[in-house]
Amino acid sequence: MWLILTLFSAFFLGFYDILKKESLKENAVWPVLFFGALASTLIFIPLVFLSEYGILQSGDMVFVPRLTAREHWMVLLKTSIVLVSWVFNYFALKHLPLTIVAPVRATGPLWTLIGALIIFGEQLNFYQWAGMVLTLFFFFRFSTVGKLEGLSFRNNKWMWFVIIGTLAGAVSGLYDKHILRQVDRLGVQAWFSFYQVLLLLPVLWFVRRKRPAREPFYWRWTIPLIGLFLVIADFLYFYAISEPESLISVISALRRSSVVVPFMYGALRFGEKNVRKKALYLAGILAGIVLLLMG
């Protein structure tokens, strides 16, 4: 059961990236980010009220428990970290090809592992060393493909944006290991959705007030679907993890395969360049990630 849940989670996560790309095409970033987040919040509002008034009971699949003040602060910190990752990734996704962004995002577990080495003093085994070397090799090979398309770390700030966004996502992954041991998974997911809107609202107001004409915003049906697909992907992911017989290494590897979906979409829908080379390097990165998770 948990394998099926994980595969569906990867499917929805892949289309989540596609929906972001379609929503951001010639569109303002901040409103797309805000309304996508608002859509996920609207999903959780009835669940919170139904749980609060006892209609949903503890043990129900979608029951949202009350959180303590300390737990709320923990979720608020998680939200802040994730929003940093999202802001950089959204801007990168708007200005870069999907076939560049998706493989770089796939290196997330590598940076999480490096963070674990530094913060927790973890030791690497043979598989992890092999996976790290392989992932880094193919990650840096992407810089050569980027140069063929006029994209390099020297002259294109959006390349740095996707790197920063991926690193912030790795920090979020490290923090998730801490918070999910102490706070109910649905409580984290529900209140995270509320806090992201709370934090984004003043930023959106400031940006639209200062630069109303510079970045025109166009409403598209794909924008609310961003929030919907993310909620479904995360719910299935957390549910799979909660299964007693589930293997986190297998779940992580399968979920990371979600990058194949936006990669294929970018190649077919937008006719992006150098797809063969990128596909080879993406396969190398995914092979490295599998070795990391095997370790």
Short mmCIF file of all heavy atoms in Angstrom, two decimals, residues 207-235:
data_model
loop_
_atom_site.label_atom_id
_atom_site.label_comp_id
_atom_site.label_asym_id
_atom_site.label_seq_id
_atom_site.Cartn_x
_atom_site.Cartn_y
_atom_site.Cartn_z
N VAL A 207 4.74 44.51 -2.59
CA VAL A 207 5.24 44.40 -3.97
C VAL A 207 4.25 45.00 -4.95
O VAL A 207 4.63 45.76 -5.85
CB VAL A 207 5.54 42.93 -4.32
CG1 VAL A 207 5.83 42.78 -5.81
CG2 VAL A 207 6.72 42.41 -3.51
N ARG A 208 2.97 44.68 -4.80
CA ARG A 208 1.97 45.20 -5.73
C ARG A 208 1.76 46.69 -5.58
O ARG A 208 1.39 47.38 -6.53
CB ARG A 208 0.64 44.46 -5.53
CG ARG A 208 0.71 42.97 -5.69
CD ARG A 208 1.32 42.55 -7.01
NE ARG A 208 0.50 42.87 -8.15
CZ ARG A 208 0.88 42.70 -9.41
NH1 ARG A 208 2.09 42.23 -9.68
NH2 ARG A 208 0.07 43.00 -10.40
N ARG A 209 2.00 47.22 -4.39
CA ARG A 209 1.86 48.66 -4.16
C ARG A 209 3.03 49.42 -4.78
O ARG A 209 2.84 50.50 -5.34
CB ARG A 209 1.79 48.93 -2.65
CG ARG A 209 1.56 50.38 -2.29
CD ARG A 209 1.27 50.51 -0.80
NE ARG A 209 1.18 51.89 -0.40
CZ ARG A 209 2.19 52.62 0.05
NH1 ARG A 209 3.39 52.09 0.15
NH2 ARG A 209 2.02 53.88 0.42
N LYS A 210 4.22 48.85 -4.69
CA LYS A 210 5.41 49.53 -5.20
C LYS A 210 5.59 49.36 -6.70
O LYS A 210 6.09 50.25 -7.38
CB LYS A 210 6.66 48.99 -4.48
CG LYS A 210 6.73 49.37 -3.00
CD LYS A 210 6.92 50.86 -2.82
CE LYS A 210 7.06 51.21 -1.34
NZ LYS A 210 7.21 52.68 -1.14
N ARG A 211 5.18 48.15 -7.23
CA ARG A 211 5.43 47.88 -8.64
C ARG A 211 4.18 47.30 -9.32
O ARG A 211 4.21 46.18 -9.81
CB ARG A 211 6.60 46.90 -8.79
CG ARG A 211 7.89 47.42 -8.19
CD ARG A 211 9.03 46.46 -8.45
NE ARG A 211 8.83 45.17 -7.80
CZ ARG A 211 9.68 44.17 -7.89
NH1 ARG A 211 10.78 44.29 -8.62
NH2 ARG A 211 9.44 43.03 -7.27
N PRO A 212 3.09 48.08 -9.34
CA PRO A 212 1.85 47.53 -9.88
C PRO A 212 1.89 47.28 -11.39
O PRO A 212 1.26 46.34 -11.88
CB PRO A 212 0.81 48.61 -9.54
CG PRO A 212 1.61 49.86 -9.40
CD PRO A 212 2.94 49.46 -8.85
N ALA A 213 2.61 48.12 -12.15
CA ALA A 213 2.62 48.00 -13.61
C ALA A 213 3.81 47.21 -14.14
O ALA A 213 3.79 46.71 -15.25
CB ALA A 213 2.62 49.40 -14.24
N ARG A 214 4.83 47.09 -13.31
CA ARG A 214 6.05 46.42 -13.77
C ARG A 214 5.85 44.93 -13.96
O ARG A 214 6.40 44.33 -14.88
CB ARG A 214 7.17 46.67 -12.76
CG ARG A 214 8.51 46.12 -13.19
CD ARG A 214 9.57 46.47 -12.17
NE ARG A 214 10.81 45.77 -12.43
CZ ARG A 214 11.88 45.83 -11.65
NH1 ARG A 214 11.85 46.57 -10.55
NH2 ARG A 214 12.98 45.18 -11.95
N GLU A 215 5.05 44.32 -13.10
CA GLU A 215 4.81 42.89 -13.18
C GLU A 215 3.31 42.62 -13.25
O GLU A 215 2.65 42.44 -12.24
CB GLU A 215 5.40 42.17 -11.96
CG GLU A 215 6.91 42.20 -11.90
CD GLU A 215 7.42 41.43 -10.70
OE1 GLU A 215 6.85 41.61 -9.59
OE2 GLU A 215 8.35 40.64 -10.85
N PRO A 216 2.72 42.65 -14.44
CA PRO A 216 1.28 42.38 -14.56
C PRO A 216 0.95 40.95 -14.16
O PRO A 216 1.73 40.02 -14.38
CB PRO A 216 1.00 42.60 -16.05
CG PRO A 216 2.32 42.43 -16.72
CD PRO A 216 3.35 42.90 -15.74
N PHE A 217 -0.21 40.81 -13.54
CA PHE A 217 -0.65 39.49 -13.08
C PHE A 217 -1.85 39.04 -13.89
O PHE A 217 -2.80 39.79 -14.09
CB PHE A 217 -1.00 39.53 -11.59
CG PHE A 217 -1.67 38.28 -11.10
CD1 PHE A 217 -1.01 37.06 -11.12
CD2 PHE A 217 -3.00 38.32 -10.64
CE1 PHE A 217 -1.63 35.90 -10.67
CE2 PHE A 217 -3.63 37.16 -10.20
CZ PHE A 217 -2.94 35.94 -10.22
N TYR A 218 -1.80 37.79 -14.36
CA TYR A 218 -2.90 37.21 -15.13
C TYR A 218 -3.39 35.96 -14.40
O TYR A 218 -2.61 35.05 -14.11
CB TYR A 218 -2.43 36.83 -16.54
CG TYR A 218 -1.82 37.99 -17.29
CD1 TYR A 218 -0.43 38.12 -17.38
CD2 TYR A 218 -2.61 38.96 -17.90
CE1 TYR A 218 0.15 39.18 -18.06
CE2 TYR A 218 -2.04 40.03 -18.59
CZ TYR A 218 -0.66 40.13 -18.66
OH TYR A 218 -0.10 41.18 -19.32
N TRP A 219 -4.70 35.93 -14.14
CA TRP A 219 -5.26 34.75 -13.47
C TRP A 219 -5.34 33.58 -14.44
O TRP A 219 -5.76 33.73 -15.58
CB TRP A 219 -6.65 35.06 -12.93
CG TRP A 219 -7.28 33.84 -12.32
CD1 TRP A 219 -8.20 33.01 -12.90
CD2 TRP A 219 -7.01 33.29 -11.03
NE1 TRP A 219 -8.53 32.00 -12.05
CE2 TRP A 219 -7.81 32.13 -10.89
CE3 TRP A 219 -6.18 33.68 -9.98
CZ2 TRP A 219 -7.80 31.36 -9.74
CZ3 TRP A 219 -6.16 32.90 -8.83
CH2 TRP A 219 -6.97 31.77 -8.72
N ARG A 220 -4.90 32.41 -13.97
CA ARG A 220 -4.99 31.19 -14.77
C ARG A 220 -5.53 30.06 -13.90
O ARG A 220 -5.27 30.03 -12.70
CB ARG A 220 -3.61 30.81 -15.33
CG ARG A 220 -3.09 31.84 -16.33
CD ARG A 220 -1.74 31.46 -16.88
NE ARG A 220 -1.28 32.49 -17.81
CZ ARG A 220 -0.06 32.96 -17.87
NH1 ARG A 220 0.87 32.49 -17.05
NH2 ARG A 220 0.28 33.88 -18.75
N TRP A 221 -6.23 29.12 -14.50
CA TRP A 221 -6.84 28.02 -13.76
C TRP A 221 -5.78 27.12 -13.12
O TRP A 221 -6.07 26.38 -12.18
CB TRP A 221 -7.74 27.21 -14.67
CG TRP A 221 -7.01 26.52 -15.79
CD1 TRP A 221 -6.77 27.01 -17.04
CD2 TRP A 221 -6.42 25.22 -15.76
NE1 TRP A 221 -6.05 26.11 -17.79
CE2 TRP A 221 -5.82 24.99 -17.03
CE3 TRP A 221 -6.32 24.22 -14.79
CZ2 TRP A 221 -5.15 23.82 -17.35
CZ3 TRP A 221 -5.64 23.05 -15.12
CH2 TRP A 221 -5.07 22.85 -16.37
N THR A 222 -4.56 27.19 -13.66
CA THR A 222 -3.49 26.36 -13.11
C THR A 222 -3.03 26.83 -11.72
O THR A 222 -2.45 26.04 -10.97
CB THR A 222 -2.27 26.35 -14.04
OG1 THR A 222 -1.89 27.70 -14.33
CG2 THR A 222 -2.59 25.63 -15.35
N ILE A 223 -3.30 28.08 -11.37
CA ILE A 223 -2.79 28.64 -10.11
C ILE A 223 -3.38 27.95 -8.88
O ILE A 223 -2.64 27.50 -8.00
CB ILE A 223 -3.00 30.17 -10.05
CG1 ILE A 223 -2.15 30.83 -11.15
CG2 ILE A 223 -2.64 30.72 -8.68
CD1 ILE A 223 -2.39 32.33 -11.30
N PRO A 224 -4.72 27.84 -8.74
CA PRO A 224 -5.24 27.12 -7.56
C PRO A 224 -4.88 25.64 -7.57
O PRO A 224 -4.78 25.01 -6.50
CB PRO A 224 -6.76 27.31 -7.66
CG PRO A 224 -7.02 27.64 -9.09
CD PRO A 224 -5.82 28.40 -9.56
N LEU A 225 -4.65 25.07 -8.76
CA LEU A 225 -4.26 23.66 -8.83
C LEU A 225 -2.87 23.43 -8.24
O LEU A 225 -2.56 22.30 -7.81
CB LEU A 225 -4.30 23.17 -10.28
CG LEU A 225 -5.70 23.03 -10.90
CD1 LEU A 225 -5.59 22.53 -12.33
CD2 LEU A 225 -6.57 22.09 -10.07
N ILE A 226 -2.03 24.47 -8.20
CA ILE A 226 -0.72 24.36 -7.55
C ILE A 226 -0.90 23.92 -6.10
O ILE A 226 -0.27 22.97 -5.64
CB ILE A 226 0.05 25.70 -7.61
CG1 ILE A 226 0.43 26.05 -9.05
CG2 ILE A 226 1.30 25.65 -6.74
CD1 ILE A 226 1.04 27.43 -9.20
N GLY A 227 -1.76 24.66 -5.38
CA GLY A 227 -2.01 24.33 -3.97
C GLY A 227 -2.65 22.97 -3.80
O GLY A 227 -2.28 22.20 -2.92
N LEU A 228 -3.61 22.65 -4.67
CA LEU A 228 -4.33 21.37 -4.58
C LEU A 228 -3.37 20.20 -4.77
O LEU A 228 -3.37 19.24 -3.98
CB LEU A 228 -5.44 21.32 -5.62
CG LEU A 228 -6.19 19.99 -5.73
CD1 LEU A 228 -6.91 19.65 -4.44
CD2 LEU A 228 -7.17 20.03 -6.91
N PHE A 229 -2.54 20.25 -5.81
CA PHE A 229 -1.64 19.14 -6.10
C PHE A 229 -0.56 19.00 -5.02
O PHE A 229 -0.15 17.88 -4.70
CB PHE A 229 -0.99 19.32 -7.48
CG PHE A 229 -1.83 18.77 -8.60
CD1 PHE A 229 -3.12 19.23 -8.81
CD2 PHE A 229 -1.33 17.80 -9.45
CE1 PHE A 229 -3.90 18.72 -9.84
CE2 PHE A 229 -2.10 17.28 -10.48
CZ PHE A 229 -3.39 17.75 -10.68
N LEU A 230 -0.12 20.11 -4.45
CA LEU A 230 0.88 20.02 -3.38
C LEU A 230 0.28 19.37 -2.13
O LEU A 230 0.92 18.52 -1.50
CB LEU A 230 1.42 21.41 -3.04
CG LEU A 230 2.46 21.43 -1.92
CD1 LEU A 230 3.71 20.63 -2.31
CD2 LEU A 230 2.86 22.86 -1.56
N VAL A 231 -0.94 19.76 -1.78
CA VAL A 231 -1.60 19.17 -0.61
C VAL A 231 -1.76 17.67 -0.79
O VAL A 231 -1.47 16.88 0.12
CB VAL A 231 -2.98 19.84 -0.38
CG1 VAL A 231 -3.80 19.04 0.62
CG2 VAL A 231 -2.79 21.27 0.14
N ILE A 232 -2.21 17.25 -1.96
CA ILE A 232 -2.41 15.82 -2.22
C ILE A 232 -1.07 15.07 -2.16
O ILE A 232 -0.96 14.00 -1.55
CB ILE A 232 -3.10 15.60 -3.58
CG1 ILE A 232 -4.50 16.20 -3.57
CG2 ILE A 232 -3.16 14.11 -3.92
CD1 ILE A 232 -5.19 16.19 -4.92
N ALA A 233 -0.04 15.65 -2.81
CA ALA A 233 1.28 15.00 -2.84
C ALA A 233 1.84 14.83 -1.44
O ALA A 233 2.35 13.76 -1.08
CB ALA A 233 2.24 15.80 -3.72
N ASP A 234 1.76 15.89 -0.62
CA ASP A 234 2.29 15.82 0.75
C ASP A 234 1.47 14.89 1.63
O ASP A 234 2.02 14.16 2.46
CB ASP A 234 2.34 17.22 1.37
CG ASP A 234 3.52 18.03 0.87
OD1 ASP A 234 4.42 17.45 0.22
OD2 ASP A 234 3.57 19.25 1.13
N PHE A 235 0.15 14.91 1.46
CA PHE A 235 -0.71 14.04 2.26
C PHE A 235 -0.38 12.57 1.98
O PHE A 235 -0.24 11.76 2.91
CB PHE A 235 -2.18 14.31 1.95
CG PHE A 235 -3.13 13.43 2.71
CD1 PHE A 235 -3.50 13.73 4.00
CD2 PHE A 235 -3.65 12.27 2.13
CE1 PHE A 235 -4.37 12.92 4.73
CE2 PHE A 235 -4.51 11.44 2.84
CZ PHE A 235 -4.86 11.76 4.14
#
